[in-house]
Each structure stands twice: as C-alpha cells, then as structure tokens.
Amino acid sequence: MVGMEITEVTQNTALIVIDVQKGWHDPAFPPRDNPAAEGNIAALVDAWQEAGRPVVFVRHDSPKADSPLRPGQEGNAFQDFVEERRGRGAGPELLLTKTVNSAFIGTPDLRSWLDAAGIRQIVVAGIMTNWCVETTARMGGNLGYDVIVPLDATHTFDAVGPDGRVLTAAELARATATNLHAGGFAKVVSTAALLG
C-alpha cells in the first residue's frame, strides 16, 4: 500500500505537473490504469495554488513526426482541466517544455529555477508514471532534491517488453513505486497524504 500517513510539505515545495496533454487520449494508446489520476492532479494543483506554493507545468514537445504530442497538433495542448488552472495561483508558476523524459532536461532549466527560489523539495505528478514521472523523480533524487511522488496522481499504459510479454499499466505503476522507494529516489505517497 502506498504511504497514507500525512506527508509534510514546505511553503516553497514545488508541484511539478508533467505532460498532462490531450494527446494521451489518442485511441491508439493501449489500456491505461488509474482513472482517478486527473482528479487527483487537479486537487493537487488547486491546493498548491490556494496555498501560494510554486507550480511547474511541463509540456512534452515531441520531435517524432507520428507523435500526438508533437507541436502544432491538438494533442500537444494541455488537457482542459490543466489549462484552465494555469496562471490562477498566488505563487510562482513556470511553463517548461521538453523533448525527452526528464523535466530536468528542458527549457527553461528546471534545476536553475528551483535553486534560484531556494526550493529543495518537489512533488512530481502527471503522465506517464513509468516514463517521464519516474525519470524526473529519479533525476531529482540524484540531484539532491527531496522528491515526493503521489502515485495516484499519475497514470500509464500497458507496454510490451523485449520478450514480447505485456505488462499491464498497474504492474508498471507498481514497479515504478518499488523502484523509487527501494532505490531511495523518492517517497511514494497518496494524494490524500499530501492534502491531509
């Protein structure tokens, strides 16, 4: 079970909302997990904005010609519930774009922005659990940040491994939680633990 006890965050803990874009609704994607992800992400953004804490909105600008997330396509846009929340908080806000998995390799430079604001703790949520969320959390941990991942504010899709076997989205999310916890990259919690 993901950590349910109340998790303390500071006034300048940054919420990093990764790749919550319309392209993920493309019917070509395999089955996903966690239908509650979007509601939990929205609740986190609302809580962060109401508290005046910093929020980073990350958009994946895919360089792949066949990606629904490539610039110029409708799928590149943030999902409506995210777009309507942008600019509504009392705290600092950053729009960051990237072309790889980690939000730490994007424009503007996330590490510089966090460090300039004295931010040492980050909460990483969004899409996909085992790709961009996990990669950002691992890199954040390696860079010395106190990283928190509310697993139920993420989702992913079934995927085929090199042996041809399919792992379900739920299995991949469990593996991400285990990787982050066992490797000491991040504290894996529930959304409720952050909002309590």
Side-chain angles (χ1 to χ4, degrees):
M1 184 111 182
V2 170
M4 295 293 291
E5 69 282 352
I6 301 303
T7 299
E8 295 295 326
V9 293
T10 66
Q11 180 56 35
N12 75 338
T13 296
L15 174 64
I16 302 176
V17 181
I18 298 185
D19 302 352
V20 185
Q21 294 163 255
K22 293 181 178 180
W24 298 118
H25 294 312
D26 190 312
F29 281 106
R32 63 169 274 187
D33 69 334
N34 192 20
E38 288 84 355
N40 288 329
I41 293 166
L44 287 168
V45 173
D46 288 345
W48 251 250
Q49 290 182 328
E50 287 167 15
R53 293 189 182 109
V55 180
V56 179
F57 293 102
V58 180
R59 189 184 72 221
H60 190 80
D61 288 350
S62 177
K64 297 178 181 176
D66 61 347
S67 172
L69 302 180
R70 71 189 183 280
Q73 303 299 308
E74 182 181 356
N76 180 255
F78 287 119
Q79 292 180 28
D80 292 344
F81 81 93
V82 169
E83 186 58 42
E84 68 190 18
R85 284 169 168 80
R86 289 184 56 223
R88 289 179 48 190
E93 183 178 303
L94 180 69
L95 170 63
L96 184 151
T97 61
K98 63 180 181 60
T99 59
V100 294
N101 300 110
S102 177
F104 283 97
I105 304 174
T107 305
D109 183 72
L110 179 59
R111 185 180 187 184
S112 296
W113 188 82
L114 294 171
D115 290 354
I119 297 170
R120 299 308 308 157
Q121 186 179 62
I122 60 174
V123 173
V124 184
I127 308 168
M128 295 168 42
T129 312
N130 55 315
W131 286 8
C132 297
V133 172
E134 182 173 350
T135 303
T136 299
R138 283 173 176 253
M139 194 165 175
N142 281 171
L143 291 171
Y145 296 97
D146 176 19
V147 183
I148 301 169
V149 176
L151 196 69
D152 60 355
T154 75
H155 82 75
T156 190
F157 301 89
D158 293 2
V160 179
D163 59 0
R165 293 178 56 198
V166 173
L167 286 181
T168 67
E171 289 171 326
L172 291 167
R174 184 174 176 207
T176 288
T178 302
N179 289 337
L180 295 176
H181 172 79
F185 296 106
K187 182 176 184 182
V188 180
V189 304
S190 66
T191 298
L194 287 171
L195 299 179

